Amino acid sequence: MKLFLYSGIAAQESILKLAEDTRQVLAALQSSGFNKVLQEQAVEIDWRLHDEIIASLGNDVVTRDYQINAGRIRLMRVSNRLDSDRIVAALDEHLNILNAALDRDKDRAAAGLEIHLTTAMRRALSGS
């Protein structure tokens, strides 16, 4: 997470763009409701955050393992129904992490990431 927060101007611009895109998808979900197009946009923006954090680490082993597991998770998600509440909650968690990263607040970013990972693990273990 530290590299994600402190890896320079390009990273800050990338984080800012991701935060803006996340806000737009959230606003669309909240104003227009849940539909197939917004679901696809939300899933894409969800993966972008995860992909960018892993890429910022610059660790080939972590990247390889992430790609293997991400592929498995994407396959599992095909059979799991996503609902708007779940997507909005996840994107809200992402936005908290991104805002902390933009503020360069590593403690708040780490806390947001821990909440996000704990929530995701709980959902995965419950099968929901």
Side-chain angles (χ1 to χ4, degrees):
M1 191 65 173
K2 187 174 183 180
L3 276 174
F4 183 67
L5 291 173
Y6 297 105
S7 54
I9 299 299
Q12 280 299 101
E13 289 173 2
S14 178
I15 293 167
L16 182 59
K17 174 72 173 133
L18 186 54
E20 289 172 0
D21 292 348
T22 301
R23 281 187 202 94
Q24 286 178 355
V25 170
L26 272 170
L29 282 168
Q30 292 165 340
S31 67
S32 303
F34 191 67
N35 62 55
K36 183 75 171 165
V37 171
L38 286 175
Q39 177 182 344
E40 289 173 7
Q41 290 174 351
V43 169
E44 186 271 333
I45 202 86
D46 177 81
W47 282 108
R48 271 179 51 201
L49 173 74
H50 298 202
D51 294 346
E52 288 197 28
I53 289 173
I54 296 300
S56 76
L57 299 175
N59 183 313
D60 292 340
V61 174
V62 171
T63 298
R64 184 198 68 224
D65 289 349
Y66 168 76
Q67 289 171 344
I68 290 167
N69 288 318
R72 291 176 182 158
I73 291 167
R74 285 179 170 118
L75 285 173
M76 288 187 299
R77 279 193 174 172
V78 169
S79 63
N80 287 347
R81 192 178 136 269
L82 293 175
D83 61 49
S84 61
D85 291 340
R86 182 176 174 180
I87 289 174
V88 167
L91 293 182
D92 275 335
E93 292 166 6
H94 284 201
L95 205 48
N96 289 334
I97 296 164
L98 290 163
N99 287 332
L102 288 169
D103 294 341
R104 296 195 184 267
D105 184 335
K106 66 181 180 182
D107 294 332
R108 200 171 93 227
L113 186 58
E114 184 174 345
I115 289 167
H116 185 59
L117 293 173
T118 301
T119 302
M121 183 175 60
R122 189 176 61 246
R123 282 189 193 122
L125 292 173
S126 71
S128 60

